[in-house]
Amino acid sequence: MSLPTFPQIDPPLTREGSLNDIISSIAAEELSLSHILNAEGEKLQYVLGSLPGLAEAATLDQVMQTNQSVQETLSNVMEQQMLLTSKLTSAMSAPTLPGPAGPTGATGPAGPAEGVAGATGATGATGPDGPIGAVGAAGPAGSTGPTGAQGPVGPTGADGAAGPAGPIGPTGAAGPTGATGPTGPDGVAGATGATGPAGPDGAAGLTGIVGAVGAVGATGPTGASGATGATGPNPTATAGFAANTQGSSILVALGGSAVALPNAQVLSPDITVNAGNTVFTVATAGTYQISYHVNTTLALLMGTRLVINGVNNTPSTVNPVVSTSNFENQIKVVLPANSTITLQLFATIAGTAILTGSGAGASLTIIRLS
């Protein structure tokens, strides 16, 4: 097996040059780590929607996966940062190498056989502490030792104080009935009682035979015709219909948002609508049948309802537990004169609903029955 060879470095590296190269490489790695940290931060901002470009909001599972990826990257960056810190500390504390030894000086003259002992020199200052080495990896956990022997049983404690008296138990079952005693002698006859009330009437007798039918009498003259009565109210004269075929986008607030119905309006004279096409006023009192439909482009976890005279109508409410894109309901209700009716979308979390534009994204029908 041959030994490795190294290329000739020209000019040769000096100690100062080598340390400068090491510190420069550490700075370059630190710069790279800062770019990685910035990229991880922008990744989280993009998933959370703080940076533009995300077409559809990320799901909770996607956010958690991204967060796990960022945590793993940060853990690797921290390990690399510890290595760079250790490398920089070692480079900055590298000892100064001594220069080459000078030429040997001439031998001095021999001194006296026994010279005078010189005074003891002062103790030199303590040198600085060396750099702290990197923390070693944790050793494996030792095996569990054997269970110690069971200690002796302690002495029995003193008797506790007597507890309070328990509740009175239920009454026991009744004992068996005793044997019947002997019959006593007859008593003296009592006085005669008062006459009792009259008994009920007897059953009715049989129905007699039906008599023969009498002869038909002569036909009487025809009476004069009565006057024609007044025409009664026409229940269907009060009716209305309105829709939204524009594919409108509705920002649904927590308390609910009205649905505008500006299209295909067919309203009887006693039904009017406000300028926003959201509030329909019915002038005539009576019993009404009201129905509605709402169709959205996407399935939403929202609800629909009618707001009648400013109050949310419970029978008309559709509040599904899963997302849906189709809402419809029909009710019968007694309305006083000049009642107001509004179709409304509501949600527990504010969001946006987009009505379908290829047909009736929403519609409302009002019919007076009586």
Side-chain angles (χ1 to χ4, degrees), residues 34-360:
S34 69
H35 285 299
I36 292 174
L37 291 176
N38 183 64
E40 292 301 305
E42 290 183 348
K43 182 196 295 181
L44 276 179
Q45 289 179 316
Y46 178 79
V47 172
L48 295 176
S50 299
L51 290 179
L54 188 62
E56 184 176 351
T59 64
L60 177 60
D61 185 56
Q62 291 172 334
V63 172
M64 295 303 295
Q65 290 178 358
T66 303
N67 184 62
Q68 179 66 26
S69 171
V70 171
Q71 285 184 339
E72 293 174 356
T73 302
L74 290 181
S75 177
N76 294 334
V77 169
M78 291 301 297
E79 293 178 2
Q80 184 65 20
Q81 181 62 37
M82 292 176 65
L83 292 176
L84 292 179
T85 302
S86 176
K87 185 190 295 186
L88 180 61
T89 302
S90 299
M92 296 301 293
S93 61
T96 303
L97 298 177
T104 303
T107 302
E114 292 185 4
V116 181
T120 303
T123 304
T126 303
D129 295 336
I132 300 174
V135 179
S143 58
T144 305
T147 305
Q150 183 174 355
V153 179
T156 304
D159 294 337
I168 299 173
T171 304
T177 304
T180 304
T183 303
D186 294 337
V188 180
T192 303
T195 303
D201 296 337
L206 299 177
T207 303
I209 300 172
V210 178
V213 178
V216 178
T219 302
T222 303
S225 299
T228 303
T231 303
N234 182 5
T236 60
T238 300
F241 175 83
N244 186 314
T245 59
Q246 301 173 351
S248 301
S249 177
I250 301 174
L251 180 60
V252 182
L254 298 182
S257 297
V259 178
L261 303 167
N263 311 120
Q265 292 183 352
V266 179
L267 306 175
S268 59
D270 54 351
I271 298 180
T272 57
V273 63
N274 67 343
N277 294 295
T278 57
V279 180
F280 293 81
T281 301
V282 179
T284 306
T287 301
Y288 284 80
Q289 177 176 292
I290 306 174
S291 60
Y292 68 83
H293 295 78
V294 176
N295 302 306
T296 59
T297 58
L298 296 175
L300 304 172
L301 190 57
M302 295 183 177
T304 55
R305 62 193 172 200
L306 295 174
V307 179
I308 299 177
N309 293 325
V311 179
N312 299 333
N313 182 268
T314 301
S316 70
T317 300
V318 176
N319 190 12
V321 296
V322 296
S323 299
T324 183
S325 62
N326 212 266
F327 307 83
E328 59 179 284
N329 204 348
Q330 177 177 289
I331 63 169
K332 290 182 181 179
V333 63
V334 177
L335 299 179
N338 298 317
S339 293
T340 59
I341 303 169
T342 298
L343 176 59
Q344 188 183 83
L345 275 165
F346 68 92
T348 56
I349 299 177
T352 301
I354 301 176
L355 304 179
T356 57
S358 58

